Amino acid sequence: MASSDDGAKLFKKKCSTCHTVEAGKHKTGPSLAGVIGRQAGSTDFSKYKALKGADFSWDEANLAEWIEDPKKFIGKPTAMTVKVKKEDERAAIIEYLKEN
């Protein structure tokens, strides 16, 4: 089973260059604080347009698809260049995000 501790390490390694889990604190990508259950593209992060007008909320399944291959998930290029191909790594990152 994926652990949040593993997820914290993976988040730092793969995601923290562009994202934080601190509410309202954005980097080159939006804060991911409270992302599970949130309407996609609904943050106050104005620089990122790929999910503007999205008609879904983030859950574990679609977040896993997104971090595996964002372009394939959304059907168009995105600013996100990191792909997390290993299922266990995606699960660990999601466990971490569920707590933040």
Side-chain angles (χ1 to χ4, degrees), residues 9-83:
K9 292 173 191 169
L10 286 163
F11 183 89
K12 184 175 182 180
K13 180 179 176 183
K14 296 182 179 280
C15 311
S16 69
T17 299
C18 298
H19 299 282
T20 70
V21 290
E22 187 178 330
K25 183 176 180 184
H26 307 297
K27 290 186 173 183
T28 56
S31 167
L32 299 179
V35 69
I36 302 290
R38 185 171 69 206
Q39 175 73 27
S42 68
T43 71
D44 63 351
F45 183 73
S46 61
K47 296 178 187 176
Y48 191 65
K49 309 267 189 265
L51 294 171
K52 189 172 179 82
D55 64 350
F56 65 91
S57 294
W58 291 114
D59 61 23
E60 292 178 50
N62 59 29
L63 192 55
E65 287 183 54
W66 172 261
I67 62 178
E68 180 179 17
D69 189 340
K71 183 179 177 182
K72 182 179 176 185
F73 178 81
I74 200 78
K76 61 184 176 182
T78 74
M80 190 169 138
T81 58
V82 173
K83 296 179 182 178

Side-chain angles (χ1 to χ4, degrees), residues 1-10 88 91-93 95-96 99:
M1 179 171 188
S3 82
S4 178
D5 290 341
D6 292 339
K9 292 173 191 169
L10 286 163
D88 62 326
I93 291 168
E95 281 302 310
Y96 175 69
E99 295 179 2

